[in-house]
Every structure is written in C-alpha cells, then in structure tokens.
Amino acid sequence: MTATMGTPQDTGPLVRGTVPAAGGGQPARPRRSRPLITYGRWWWALPAILAVLLIHYVATAGGALYAFTNWTGIGDFDWVGLDNFRRILDDPALIGSLENTLFLAFGFLIATNVVGLLLALALNRTLRTRYLLRVLFFMPVVLSPLAVSYIWKFIFDFNGPLNDVLAWFGAAPKTWLADPTLALWAVLVVMAWQTTGMVMVIYLAGLATVPAEIEEAAALDGASTWRRFRYITLPSIRPSLAIASTLMLIQGLRVFDQVMALTGGGPAGATETLATQVYKETFALSNFGFGAALALLLTLIMLVFSVLQQAATRDRS
Amino acid sequence: MASITFDRITKRYPDGTQAVSELDLAIRDGEFLVLVGPSGCGKTTALRMAAGLEEISEGRLLIGDRVVNEVHPSQRDIAMVFQSYALYPHMSVRENIAFPLQCAGLAKAEVRERVDRAADALGLTELLERRPKALSGGQRQRVAMGRAIVRQPQAFLMDEPLSNLDAKLRGQMRAEIRNLQREYRTTTLYVTHDQVEAMTMGDRIAVLRKGVLQQLGTPEELYESPANLFVAEFIGSPPMNVLSATVTRAGSGSELLLGSQRLVLPAGALDAYPELAGADATPVALGLRPEALRDAAGADPSWPRLLADVELVENLPPEKLVHLRLDAEPVVTEATLELAADVDQAAAEDLRALGRGSVLHARLPGTTPVREGTRAQFAVPPSALHFFDLSTGQAIAPQSPRLAAATA
C-alpha cells in the first residue's frame, strides 16, 4: 500500500523538470535517471524491518547469550563459557535425544517425500476420482498436531483399534507407545501421516507445470515408465523436490507436539528429542541457561542441514 | 519403414462427441501423406490415435501388418514431432536428440556418432550443448526433427510442426522437412490446417471435415476434381468461387443462367456430365477457380463470356488479383460457413448477410488491362467449370476428366 501512495509525488518534480528543457528555455539540470515507475523509498520499510529485527533477531541473539550463562530464571547469573555445551555432549540422555531427533527428521523427510510424491503421481492426471482423493489426503494437514496425536494415542492404545485389527490377522497385541523400540516409530508414523498431504500438494503443483506433451514425447521416444519418471518427470519437478525436502527436514528437526502428546518423551526417554529437552530443561527444570544452549544447538543443526539440503537439490546446470 | 493403415477407425469421447468417424486411410510405405482440415475436424485426434496417445474406440490401426490398437506408444517404433516441439527443457540439444537412442539401449559411442550425424544433417552441430530455452523457434523445430530422424523409426507423425514459425521460416522448413523425408524415405503422416502446406508437401492429401474423410488424392486431383464443395473451397488460394446457377437447354446446346446473365456453352460441353445431360432448369452450384476467368480479348470465341463489375484490383506482379461483383446468388452452405468461421468469425457473419450478389476472385496476368470501377468481360473455358449438387454439395463429376478436357 505504501508503495503506491508515494508515486504521484515522486513523478511530480520529474515532469516539471522536463517541461522547460523541452521548450528550449534553460538547459535542463542533469539529474540521476530514475525508473519510470518507482516502488517507493527504502526507508518506508523501516518500521517493519525494525519490528522483525527487534522481535526476531535481537530477541533470538539475546536468548542465545543465555546459552553461555547458568541463569535459572530468577536472580543473578554467571557467565560459564562453553560449560553448557560440554554438559550436553557429556550427557548420554541428550546425545540420545539428538539421535532421536535426527532419526525422526530423516525418517520424516524420506517417508513424507516418497509417499507424497507417489500420491501426487497417482492423483495428477489419471484417476477420475482424483479431486476427491486429493482432498481426503490433504485433510490431516489442516488438523491441529495435538488433536491428531491424541487420536493416534487412542489408536495405539493396548486396547485400541490397531491391536483389534491386528488380532483379526492373528497377531499378538503390542504396547506401541510403551515399547522403547516401537515408540519412536509410532511417533514417526503420526508425524508422516499428518504431513504427507502437504508434500503431495507441493508435488502436485510441480507436476502441473510439466506439459503432458513432453511425457508423451518421451513415451514415443521409447522410454519405459521408470525412465520417463527418472529422466523427464523428476528433473522437471526439481524445484518442488528442493522445497518439499527442506521444509520437511526443518519440520522434522523441531518435532515437539507429537512427542509430548503421544509419549511425553518416554518410555524412559526413548522418544525424547532436542525440542522436548529444551522445553523440559527450560520450563520444567528452570535451567534457562542450559535450555538456551540446547535451543542454540538445535538452531545450528537446522541451519547446517538446511544449507546442505539446498546444496544437494540445487539445479546443477 | 512400414505402412500405416486406419481401418474404419472411430473415436468417440465419453461425452458422446465423435471426433473421428469410420476413417479409412492407408499411408503407403515411404509415402508423405498430409491430413488436412479446419480446426476441430479430428485430424490431430487421428494422428494421436496413430501414435497411441489416444484410445481407439472402434476399428483397427495397423503399422505394417501388425495391429497396434493395444500397443503402448513406446513399443510402436514411431517418432512424433509436436506442434510445441515438446523438447526436454532440462536437457541439452545433444541429450534431447540422444534420448530415443538411449531408450533403445544403444552403446555410448554409437549414440554419439548418430547424434553427430543427425545434427550435421540439420545444421545443429554448433548448438549441441545449448538448452532448448536458448534456441530460436526454427532451431527448436530442427531439434525436434533431429530427435525424430535419429532413431530411424518405422514412421514419422507430425502435428502441425510449422505452425509456430513465422511465414518465411515456415517456407524454408517446409522444403527442409520434405527433403529429409525424401532422403530417409520414411512413411510420414503430417497434420496441418494449412492447405498451402498440404499442397506443397504431400504425396497425397486426405481432407477431413468433422471427423469424416472428404477426399483422398494427390494435390492435383484435389485441385482439379474436388469431390465436394467443402474440398473445392478448402483447397486453393484464393479459394474457388462458388455461385448458384441454373443449367437450361437452349437449342442444340446448353446455357448457364447466372444471375441476370446467360452463358452459352459450346455444343457438347456438358456431354461428359451424364447427370446434366438432360438438364433443363436444373439448379447447380457452379465452381470457378480464380484462374478460370480469363481476359476476353484473345480468348477462344467459343468460350462463354461473363460480365462483371471490377471492384478492386490488387497488383501482385506478375499477377493481378481482381475482385469482381456479380448479381448471382452466392452459395452459402454449412461447409462454406465453417470454412469462413475458421478464418474469422466476423467473415462468416458477413457471408451470411451478403445480400446483393457475389464477390468473385479472378487471377489474371499482370498485363491484363482491368480498371477498378468499370464493367469488364471475361472468358471462361468450359473445361474449367465445376458443378456441384446444390442440396448435397457433392461434385457432379464428369465421366472422365480427360474426356471433358478434350471438349474444351
């Protein structure tokens, strides 16, 4: 809005300045050439820039400073240097959380992208019911992660529907969320189930930009289904692949809601992640300094993986 | 190389529309056959059925002796050039041309050699490492051709490959495609809506209208003896003049009533037309090619004379394109309206509203002395008269074109 408001005043002097010159009177004063349509002045954006800087970056940087203190939320604190980080690396429980986080993040990245891409390919052109199916597969995305997690908690219950269904096939019932080896997979299933629809939509948008004709041309060139996918379709949706994988990796690294709702980090810390540890250390145990160190670590991990991800999916042409 | 045969092929869409109706068409081994018709006539659908991109509702499609109705496009061993070229945007020109060879599983060295040879034939050698994005329209067209010829397939299918090029380039590419086809002797089915392309490129031409084959023949056959009004008006530029006329008996011979004029036909001029032999007061549609109107001075005195108002003279050395007005009724059929609408909707409306007489186009030598705003006399060779049934639009054909020519 601000951009359009200033334009009339901007062009005013320009017009006035050129008229005498055209009339052959005084020589026109040389002025810096300016684009015909100007989109405003940089300083108009200052309030927004300041708000973002103060609320986001300064606050984050300020919070990061606490990572180097032993603040407990009240009273004074001392600078402790890198002690908090040493503690993290020495704590097997926290290393376990880091491992869980990476497992969930990459499991989530792979599951959502593979299934989302398969769904998008299936629902792109062929099926007549594709519009209905797209809606159905997208529905979980609009639900609250907490609500979804509580529903799945019910499904995973020892007396819940999942064990009932398995019983039909003669399988023994399992304690899905209380079994240390199964609980993390259960969390992964819930995360992927809810978000795959989102990835499907990203790939559908990408596939919509691929003209049917180049796939037809490839078929006539003698390419098998796999070859058409590998050499024609997939390279054409590379931008979607980059977006979907980066988003899913970040979302996976910061997983929190599902873990808290399904297992609370249990059994015996088997499903703790960095985000749940940040929460527990900071707000349950009041170790603000230590929590800030963990949060800073998580942020750095996200940053590093995002950059690596971008590099991996960049168009190499 | 192989022939392509459409055996009573019908395409019906789920909503009931019939795009192609019982098409019978045999493209001979090594032949260049052009499928031509106005937009929406089903020509592209027919081509896509040959490619396997469109399901065949009824009938059989054969490539060589093999029925391929159920054969996947990738197994048909045919190459197609698309209107949009359908180049792979993420691949270089070399990769684009090499793709069909890689699909066929050829060795790297052989792929390289054949791509180089195809590129050399098409003048693409300098462009091999470029992406399609960095090419001009004509260059893209060449890459699409390269991708088609490099595999040496059973047949080429081309879907309006020149329609995205400017007029000059189109003329050049027309000749290039024709030369390539001659060189490789590959059976080709070429789809276009442009009758000039059809006439200049095709060994034979198939004219399609609303999914129904109108006529199949060499360019000369289509031009000289069109099967019906639709073909008559579709082929030729400017198109054939069509007027309503009446054939009557007069003495020993016949006369043509054309508006307020009587054209006396030489004795025996209609002998070749059994359907008109006993004609008296029979209404017909009379077709005259623009070059059938000749300067009366110096023309055979036995030829009937026609008087018309000269409205406009377009000087196009070595020719003159003359617009004439005559008080005869134009023939407005569904077919003529469809053709006009294909060019311009407004033109079709004009045609419907055309009340006072008809406009004729005449193509005369540049030396002919005609002036705008005058009334002039033209001679019409009787052999150049085309007759059509007014109700069906079908040609009233002479027994033998040679016999009719002999009487002229």
Side-chain angles (χ1 to χ4, degrees):
Chain A
M1 197 178 110
T2 42
T4 51
M5 271 165 54
T7 312
Q9 292 104 309
D10 275 351
T11 51
L14 200 73
V15 172
R16 278 197 302 277
T18 52
V19 169
Q26 301 135 337
R29 212 183 317 153
R31 54 176 73 231
R32 205 145 34 116
S33 69
R34 193 186 280 177
L36 215 54
I37 300 168
T38 51
Y39 291 100
R41 298 282 160 270
W42 66 270
W43 44 263
W44 293 352
L46 269 186
I49 290 171
L50 282 178
V52 171
L53 276 180
L54 289 175
I55 296 168
H56 195 93
Y57 291 100
V58 173
T60 305
L65 284 182
Y66 288 100
F68 305 95
T69 71
N70 61 0
W71 194 42
T72 53
I74 35 170
D76 290 337
F77 55 82
D78 294 320
W79 293 97
V80 295
L82 293 174
D83 271 6
N84 286 332
F85 295 95
R86 260 178 232 122
R87 256 179 70 197
I88 293 172
L89 296 179
D90 288 345
D91 188 339
L94 288 172
I95 296 300
S97 305
L98 178 63
E99 284 168 3
N100 288 345
T101 306
L102 293 178
F103 169 81
L104 284 177
F106 283 96
F108 182 65
L109 166 74
I110 293 165
T112 51
N113 276 278
V114 170
V115 181
L117 181 56
L118 288 176
L119 283 176
L121 288 169
L123 301 180
N124 183 30
R125 278 198 258 270
T126 41
L127 287 174
R128 196 171 295 187
T129 51
R130 61 186 181 274
Y131 299 105
L132 176 69
L133 289 172
R134 285 180 196 174
V135 172
L136 288 180
F137 282 115
F138 187 73
M139 291 256 258
V141 177
V142 303
L143 300 174
S144 142
L146 271 182
V148 167
S149 302
Y150 281 120
I151 293 166
W152 275 95
K153 194 173 184 179
F154 165 74
I155 293 172
F156 282 134
D157 193 88
F158 189 73
N159 297 316
L162 180 58
N163 279 338
D164 287 351
V165 171
L166 287 176
W168 296 345
F169 301 100
K174 287 187 158 60
T175 53
W176 298 101
L177 297 175
D179 184 325
T181 53
L182 289 178
L184 202 61
W185 286 95
V187 172
L188 179 61
V189 165
V190 176
M191 289 166 64
W193 179 84
Q194 191 180 8
T195 321
T196 299
M198 182 75 210
V199 178
M200 174 192 77
V201 166
I202 294 173
Y203 282 123
L204 275 173
L207 287 172
T209 65
V210 183
E213 282 192 345
I214 73 167
E215 294 189 22
E216 293 175 348
L220 281 161
D221 279 344
S224 60
T225 308
W226 165 250
R227 194 178 268 272
R228 284 206 301 281
F229 172 73
R230 172 67 188 81
Y231 292 101
I232 306 298
T233 313
L234 199 58
S236 305
I237 58 169
R238 190 185 276 279
S240 301
L241 182 74
I243 291 170
S245 55
T246 309
L247 282 180
M248 291 307 114
L249 187 67
I250 292 173
Q251 196 166 335
L253 284 170
R254 62 164 203 221
V255 55
F256 178 78
D257 311 40
Q258 289 91 343
V259 175
M260 286 309 277
L262 284 166
T263 64
T271 58
E272 289 285 5
T273 65
L274 284 180
T276 61
Q277 294 284 24
V278 171
Y279 167 76
K280 285 179 181 171
E281 286 291 342
T282 314
F283 299 105
L285 303 174
S286 270
N287 290 331
F288 275 78
F290 188 64
L294 267 175
L296 188 60
L297 185 66
L298 180 56
T299 308
L300 288 176
I301 289 172
M302 282 195 210
L303 207 65
V304 168
F305 278 114
S306 303
V307 170
L308 289 178
Q309 178 72 44
Q310 289 292 316
T313 50
R314 185 184 306 143
D315 190 355
R316 282 178 211 85
S317 61
Chain B
M1 314 300 128
S3 61
I4 303 176
T5 312
F6 289 75
D7 182 12
R8 297 177 73 77
I9 282 191
T10 295
K11 173 70 190 182
R12 207 173 289 115
Y13 285 104
D15 65 356
T17 49
Q18 195 150 317
V20 175
S21 305
E22 301 201 343
L23 181 62
D24 268 319
L25 199 61
I27 302 137
R28 297 177 200 134
D29 193 354
E31 184 181 26
F32 194 114
L33 189 130
V34 179
L35 198 52
V36 69
S39 45
C41 73
K43 55 191 189 297
T44 296
T45 309
L47 184 87
R48 288 174 60 86
M49 284 193 284
L53 300 172
E54 203 86 57
E55 243 174 87
I56 297 169
S57 310
E58 276 164 40
R60 296 185 313 155
L61 182 85
L62 291 92
I63 295 179
D65 300 326
R66 186 165 70 131
V67 177
V68 294
N69 285 38
E70 303 301 324
V71 178
H72 190 266
S74 61
Q75 305 299 317
R76 292 194 182 190
D77 193 20
I78 44 182
M80 181 156 164
V81 178
F82 289 78
Q83 184 173 5
S84 64
Y85 316 136
L87 301 180
Y88 310 127
H90 55 279
M91 294 186 189
S92 67
V93 170
R94 174 182 290 285
E95 288 165 333
N96 263 284
I97 298 176
F99 189 71
L101 300 177
Q102 287 162 346
C103 291
L106 261 62
K108 259 188 183 163
E110 168 142 34
V111 170
R112 200 170 177 85
E113 193 207 310
R114 282 172 69 166
V115 171
D116 284 340
R117 214 174 330 136
D120 188 45
L122 288 157
L124 289 169
T125 308
E126 309 287 304
L127 308 171
L128 277 174
E129 305 314 321
R130 286 214 206 153
R131 291 286 178 95
K133 216 169 28 181
L135 301 178
S136 71
Q139 291 167 336
R140 284 178 206 183
Q141 164 69 55
R142 281 207 181 86
V143 178
M145 286 299 300
R147 206 169 60 182
I149 61 169
V150 75
R151 193 157 49 108
Q152 295 169 2
Q154 299 274 325
F156 293 146
L157 303 176
M158 305 196 188
D159 184 11
E160 309 222 10
L162 304 182
S163 61
N164 287 344
L165 302 178
D166 61 55
K168 193 178 165 206
L169 207 52
R170 204 179 305 157
Q172 187 188 334
M173 286 309 294
R174 216 156 60 194
E176 269 185 46
I177 290 180
R178 199 65 187 95
N179 285 339
L180 277 173
Q181 197 269 342
R182 288 238 170 79
E183 189 179 326
Y184 290 88
R185 298 293 327 155
T186 306
T187 313
T188 304
L189 177 57
Y190 185 105
V191 159
T192 180
H193 67 271
D194 181 355
Q195 60 95 18
V196 177
E197 257 170 50
M199 293 294 278
T200 50
M201 298 175 83
D203 291 327
R204 285 192 302 160
I205 300 175
V207 182
L208 211 59
R209 178 187 171 225
K210 291 186 175 168
V212 180
L213 182 65
Q214 304 290 309
Q215 189 171 4
L216 173 64
T218 62
E220 294 76 26
E221 282 166 4
L222 259 60
Y223 191 79
E224 278 159 22
S225 31
N228 57 33
L229 273 178
F230 181 82
V231 177
E233 299 199 306
F234 190 75
I235 301 292
S237 172
M240 183 186 274
N241 301 298
V242 182
L243 309 156
S244 50
T246 311
V247 182
T248 53
R249 219 180 300 203
S252 60
S254 301
E255 281 182 352
L256 268 177
L257 290 181
L258 202 57
S260 58
Q261 299 187 49
R262 277 170 190 278
L263 273 66
V264 182
L265 299 179
L270 293 183
D271 286 357
Y273 300 85
E275 285 176 66
L276 294 176
D280 196 7
T282 307
V284 293
L286 173 69
L288 288 173
R289 292 274 176 211
E291 62 274 16
L293 293 161
R294 311 267 176 87
D295 186 8
D300 188 327
S302 73
W303 290 358
R305 298 298 203 257
L306 183 69
L307 271 174
D309 294 321
V310 180
E311 279 202 336
L312 181 71
V313 177
E314 291 177 292
N315 239 326
L316 208 66
E319 288 180 339
K320 272 181 179 151
L321 204 56
V322 183
H323 297 230
L324 306 169
R325 188 168 283 280
L326 204 66
D327 62 353
E329 287 294 309
V331 174
V332 181
T333 62
E334 211 189 322
T336 53
L337 285 175
E338 191 193 329
L339 280 177
D342 198 39
V343 179
D344 179 7
Q345 192 60 45
E349 298 300 321
D350 283 354
L351 204 57
R352 214 186 281 275
L354 205 67
R356 33 181 211 102
S358 336
V359 173
L360 263 69
H361 298 276
R363 182 186 275 151
L364 299 165
T367 51
T368 317
V370 279
R371 284 210 329 276
E372 286 175 16
T374 61
R375 176 163 287 201
Q377 198 176 45
F378 298 91
V380 182
S383 62
L385 298 173
H386 293 268
F387 298 101
F388 300 91
D389 187 310
L390 257 184
S391 51
T392 63
Q394 294 301 311
I396 300 172
Q399 250 166 348
S400 138
R402 237 170 271 125
L403 192 70
T407 58

